[in-house]
């Protein structure tokens, strides 16, 4: 079946504008994760969803970041009033369940550039 | 607290050389899961392998092999007869039984394979 898809693949925006990043997980996967990867760096965990619920938002870098998931499927990560330090690749992953044993499968990422 | 250490930041080898990427982890759980991912220049993280803490058998898949040793808390990855296409960043990750939202990724090892 299809893997995790993300859109757009690239986004260039001006400082202060809002952006929405979309993630379409593997069908049937109940858990969904968002990560951020700055240039040449490792993965920074942002938020996870079990179904439509996000029990812990503490990983989000600031209150300009929000995420939602509807219908237990597609998720949107929104960044308001973007800043240059938000420039990074945003990766989405999904897994069958939230269990630690379940492999996370990653999408291709959205490269965000804030000018 | 859990931790994953990939001490090698960058490794450069010549094609056909064997190369081992080190991964050392820390966890208090007795049940946990270890993963390796490959991130080629295209950016997408590709899942390579998952091992659970109760299975210390080494695994071989083509030119790839993994050596899991609980006694030294290590899960090392060896590429035999490396090829240019192996050039990528490789991430080791640890997930505790608590859940996938507790997955910790190492900082990654960038592998350059020169022709």
């Amino acid at each position: 079946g299809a893997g995790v898809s993300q859109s757009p693949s690239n986004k260039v925006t001006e400082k202060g504008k809002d952006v929405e990043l979309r993630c379409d997980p593997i069908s049937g996967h109940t858990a969904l994760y968002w990560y951020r990867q700055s240039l040449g760096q490792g993965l920074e965990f942002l938020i996870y969803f079990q179904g439509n619920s996000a029990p812990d938002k503490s990983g989000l870098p600031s209150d300009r970041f929000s995420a939602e998931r509807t219908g237990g499927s597609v998720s949107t990560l929104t960044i308001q009033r973007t800043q240059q330090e938000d420039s990074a690749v945003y990766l989405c992953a999904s897994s069958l369940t939230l269990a630690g044993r379940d492999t996370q499968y990653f999408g291709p990422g959205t490269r965000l550039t804030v000018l | 607290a859990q931790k994953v250490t990939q001490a090698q930041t960058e490794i450069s080898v010549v094609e056909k050389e064997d190369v081992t990427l080190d991964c050392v982890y820390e966890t208090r759980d007795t049940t946990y899961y270890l993963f390796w991912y490959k991130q080629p220049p295209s950016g997408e993280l590709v899942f390579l392998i998952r091992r659970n803490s109760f299975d210390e058998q080494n695994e071989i898949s083509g030119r790839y092999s993994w050596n899991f040793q609980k006694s030294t808390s290590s899960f090392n990855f060896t590429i035999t007869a490396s090829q240019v296409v192996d050039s990528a960043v490789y991430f080791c990750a640890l997930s505790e039984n608590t859940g996938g939202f507790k997955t910790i990724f190492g900082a990654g090892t960038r592998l350059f394979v020169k022709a």
Side-chain angles (χ1 to χ4, degrees):
Chain A
V4 178
S5 60
Q6 292 185 247
S7 61
S9 54
N10 276 285
K11 177 72 177 178
V12 180
T13 190
E14 293 180 350
K15 179 181 170 181
K17 295 282 176 84
D18 298 351
V19 295
E20 278 191 359
L21 312 180
R22 176 188 167 110
C23 172
D24 209 331
I26 293 172
S27 178
H29 280 195
T30 61
L32 185 147
Y33 309 83
W34 282 98
Y35 295 86
R36 179 168 72 173
Q37 187 177 30
S38 300
L39 187 62
Q41 302 298 310
L43 276 72
E44 176 190 2
F45 171 75
L46 299 179
I47 192 169
Y48 75 95
F49 287 88
Q50 173 58 36
N52 291 336
S53 172
D56 182 4
K57 296 181 170 64
S58 63
L60 294 174
S62 77
D63 57 9
R64 296 184 295 104
F65 287 70
S66 63
E68 64 175 19
R69 188 180 186 195
T70 54
S73 182
V74 172
S75 176
T76 303
L77 178 69
T78 300
I79 309 173
Q80 295 179 310
R81 305 181 303 281
T82 51
Q83 303 294 311
Q84 288 183 333
E85 61 261 28
D86 299 333
S87 296
V89 175
Y90 289 82
L91 294 164
C92 174
S94 72
S95 60
L96 190 61
T97 74
L98 205 57
R101 66 177 178 273
D102 288 338
T103 300
Q104 295 183 28
Y105 294 94
F106 284 80
T110 293
R111 182 176 299 277
L112 175 66
T113 304
V114 182
L115 301 176
Chain B
Q2 54 178 338
K3 186 177 178 182
V4 175
T5 301
Q6 294 182 256
Q8 304 148 309
T9 306
E10 287 188 2
I11 301 176
S12 185
V13 299
V14 178
E15 229 180 357
K16 297 183 185 176
E17 281 186 27
D18 298 348
V19 57
T20 295
L21 310 181
D22 297 334
C23 174
V24 174
Y25 62 91
E26 293 178 29
T27 178
R28 293 180 181 174
D29 271 17
T30 55
T31 302
Y32 52 89
Y33 306 88
L34 295 162
F35 304 82
W36 275 96
Y37 289 86
K38 173 183 180 180
Q39 187 176 40
S42 60
E44 184 168 348
L45 270 85
V46 177
F47 165 70
L48 296 178
I49 190 171
R50 178 190 72 191
R51 300 312 300 271
N52 72 57
S53 53
F54 298 110
D55 183 2
E56 284 194 74
Q57 257 193 335
N58 291 330
E59 182 153 341
I60 297 174
S61 175
R63 295 184 296 108
Y64 294 172
S65 62
W66 290 269
N67 183 352
F68 177 28
Q69 294 202 342
K70 287 178 77 169
S71 60
T72 54
S73 297
S74 65
F75 186 42
N76 295 339
F77 173 29
T78 297
I79 302 174
T80 303
S82 59
Q83 300 176 2
V84 173
V85 293
D86 296 327
S87 297
V89 180
Y90 291 86
F91 290 95
C92 179
L94 165 69
S95 181
E96 293 180 339
N97 208 30
T98 321
F101 54 92
K102 292 289 188 182
T103 301
I104 295 293
F105 286 81
T109 296
R110 184 175 297 275
L111 174 65
F112 294 99
V113 181
K114 302 175 190 174

